[in-house]
Amino acid sequence: MTTEIISRLQFAFTISFHILFPAFSIGLILFITLIELQWLITKNTLYLTICKFWTKIFALTFGMGVVSGIVMEYQLGTNWSGFTRDVGGVLGALFTYEVLTAFFVEAGFIGIMVLGFNKVKPSLHFLATVIVLIGTTLSTYWIMCANTWMQHPVGYVQNPNGTFDVASWKTILTNSDLFPRFFHMLLAAYLAAALVISSVSAYYLLKHRHLNFAKTCFSWIWWLILFLIPIQIFLGDSTGLNVFKYQPLKTAAMEGIWQTGTGQPLLLFAIPNQDKQQNEFVIKIPHLASLINTHQWNGKMVGLNSVDKSEQPNVLPVFFSFRLMVGIGFLILFLALTSFYLRIRKRLLTTTWFLKTCVFSSPLGFIALWAGWITAELGRQPWIVYGLVRTKDAVSQVPITTTISIFVLMILVYGIIFGIFYTYFLHRILQKGPHDVSPQDLITDRSFAYMQGEMGEKS
């Protein structure tokens, strides 16, 4: 065990926790925005009830995302000083823009969004919600811009001391690998949140609680999933083509390909053996891997043994995490098609086995996110910036005992704050359920009411 391994495990642990909250927030704010728009158009108070309920969960989740994200920033300095030294000239500005977006745009208007019900005009409240949606989307863009540069570095210049600076911001911000990955991540967050909304709604339907709320949310969200999942699969294919183009060894690890050749088979199942440089217990479909990755029946694919073992990624986790991500994607597609079949048979809201399936499917989107992240990050190894900076050169040279102590402390703190506290308050909100909006609760314009003596009159 080395400092590098402990630092990598610690980063994997903290980012695995962190990614849950931003992803859930990104998906929730889209749903809330669409529902609030429907409330403004129809004036149906049921939509306002839905909006208020999910806004509570959004506020709780957003707060957890901010706190867990701050830890990530500090960690880059404590554990990855070589990384910040070498590429700070490029990534420092991108991380700063992300923080400015998150704090100045999102946090600035979340106050109006969460506390502004019945205090500002409906149109002003909706504007605040839209700005929060834009802020979360921009935050995602900056993070994906930084991560894409680590996967496919462009628009840089290397200084004599080995550090990197920006040569062309335009090239970095329009990286040819960026937009498929950005939209793929965005839709992954939408789908992860949608499955949670589906799960909560299905639970209420099975328990015969908050029926109008649950029926509307459940029907609405499965239309959204049915619309998004084919697009997500298409974006996954586009992302895969770029991986094959820019990081052929990562594709080789994902597909379990050891020998360079044409017409490579798709492995439905195998156990890659890195020591023997071969697969065991193989079940395969001829030519299909070449067809998927090159869009050619006899497309040529690079094998892992085209480089030394020390230059290869750890194949086993990349191979299985990729299959897990893809498998979940097609499972969600199957559920979406099933929901459509049940809808046209007018049984979507009453089919018990489907409702129970939806209750237990809530983690699927987050598991797919984790699997995709493992595929992307482990598949890039041994590079932290592909082809430029090796991971072993980016880690801080600190005693391993110090790194282990901090890692153990992080597990305890994260377990208490993000495991126990978040779960406790989320459970309380879900158990209490939505509060039906009455005509007296409707949004009215009370902007600057304190200046008109209303506060004083009430007291």
Side-chain angles (χ1 to χ4, degrees), residues 217-379:
C217 285
F218 195 73
S219 175
W220 220 99
I221 208 65
W222 277 106
W223 276 125
L224 188 63
I225 294 173
L226 186 64
F227 174 73
L228 291 179
I229 188 64
I231 302 173
Q232 178 68 331
I233 292 173
F234 169 77
L235 288 171
D237 178 65
S238 301
T239 305
L241 291 175
N242 280 342
V243 172
F244 174 72
K245 181 177 180 181
Y246 299 123
Q247 299 181 59
L249 283 179
K250 182 190 286 186
T251 300
M254 290 158 58
E255 301 292 357
I257 296 172
W258 299 97
Q259 308 282 345
T260 299
T262 58
Q264 296 282 7
L266 176 70
L267 305 183
L268 297 178
F269 181 81
I271 298 180
N273 188 324
Q274 197 139 10
D275 292 332
K276 296 181 180 178
Q277 299 280 285
Q278 65 182 31
N279 299 313
E280 296 171 348
F281 308 106
V282 173
I283 303 175
K284 61 184 179 182
I285 300 177
H287 294 273
L288 197 51
S290 284
L291 183 63
I292 292 171
N293 287 282
T294 68
H295 287 190
Q296 295 177 20
W297 185 249
N298 286 314
K300 183 178 179 181
M301 297 183 68
V302 173
L304 287 157
N305 63 8
S306 61
V307 298
D308 186 78
K309 281 185 181 180
S310 63
E311 301 293 310
Q312 297 173 359
N314 191 342
V315 177
L316 192 68
V318 177
F319 180 83
F320 281 110
S321 62
F322 174 66
R323 272 150 187 76
L324 181 61
M325 177 187 67
V326 174
I328 289 175
F330 280 101
L331 177 58
I332 296 172
L333 175 65
F334 172 75
L335 290 174
L337 293 174
T338 303
S339 76
F340 183 68
Y341 170 78
L342 293 173
R343 189 189 297 273
I344 60 176
R345 299 290 300 270
K346 301 186 184 306
R347 290 164 42 198
L348 176 64
L349 304 173
T350 56
T351 304
T352 302
W353 68 263
F354 185 70
L355 293 175
K356 289 182 177 177
T357 302
C358 290
V359 170
F360 291 105
S361 68
S362 60
L364 283 180
F366 298 109
I367 295 172
L369 270 171
W370 279 336
W373 175 76
I374 290 170
T375 303
E377 301 306 308
L378 286 186

Side-chain angles (χ1 to χ4, degrees), residues 386-406:
Y386 195 72
L388 298 179
V389 183
R390 290 181 183 274
T391 305
K392 65 181 179 61
D393 297 327
V395 70
S396 299
Q397 297 304 311
V398 295
I400 189 170
T401 51
T402 303
T403 311
I404 291 175
S405 302
I406 294 173

Side-chain angles (χ1 to χ4, degrees), residues 24-25 28-29 31-33 35-36 47-63 109-117 125 129 132 197 213 426 429 434 443:
F24 194 18
S25 301
L28 270 183
I29 189 62
F31 179 71
I32 292 169
T33 304
I35 290 292
E36 188 168 353
Y47 294 115
L48 186 56
T49 299
I50 295 171
C51 194
K52 285 188 171 184
F53 175 76
W54 288 108
T55 297
K56 288 181 190 175
I57 296 177
F58 173 81
L60 175 66
T61 306
F62 180 83
F109 285 89
I110 277 178
I112 299 174
M113 183 185 155
V114 175
L115 304 173
F117 285 116
H125 189 278
T129 305
V132 174
I197 294 169
F213 169 91
L426 180 63
I429 293 173
I443 295 177

Side-chain angles (χ1 to χ4, degrees), residues 421-440:
F421 286 175
Y422 178 76
T423 305
Y424 172 74
F425 286 110
L426 180 63
H427 183 259
R428 280 189 59 178
I429 293 173
L430 296 178
Q431 284 301 309
K432 191 174 180 180
H435 169 68
D436 290 335
V437 176
S438 67
Q440 289 74 27

Side-chain angles (χ1 to χ4, degrees), residues 132-267:
V132 174
L133 171 65
I134 294 172
T136 56
T137 307
L138 284 175
S139 290
T140 309
Y141 170 77
W142 293 121
I143 289 298
M144 291 308 298
C145 196
N147 187 268
T148 301
W149 190 84
M150 293 166 63
Q151 305 284 347
H152 177 225
V154 294
Y156 65 88
V157 59
Q158 187 169 16
N159 300 312
N161 63 358
T163 62
F164 297 89
D165 282 322
V166 174
S168 169
W169 275 116
K170 181 181 177 182
T171 305
I172 293 174
L173 299 180
T174 58
N175 192 328
S176 56
D177 195 19
L178 172 59
F179 290 101
R181 298 186 78 238
F182 166 61
F183 287 111
H184 192 48
M185 176 65 205
L186 211 55
L187 262 66
Y190 293 162
L191 288 166
L195 289 173
V196 176
I197 294 169
S198 160
S199 174
V200 172
S201 305
Y203 174 79
Y204 287 150
L205 285 171
L206 288 169
K207 295 294 182 182
H208 301 286
R209 295 172 55 192
H210 317 294
L211 287 178
N212 289 334
F213 169 91
K215 287 177 181 177
T216 303
C217 285
F218 195 73
S219 175
W220 220 99
I221 208 65
W222 277 106
W223 276 125
L224 188 63
I225 294 173
L226 186 64
F227 174 73
L228 291 179
I229 188 64
I231 302 173
Q232 178 68 331
I233 292 173
F234 169 77
L235 288 171
D237 178 65
S238 301
T239 305
L241 291 175
N242 280 342
V243 172
F244 174 72
K245 181 177 180 181
Y246 299 123
Q247 299 181 59
L249 283 179
K250 182 190 286 186
T251 300
M254 290 158 58
E255 301 292 357
I257 296 172
W258 299 97
Q259 308 282 345
T260 299
T262 58
Q264 296 282 7
L266 176 70
L267 305 183

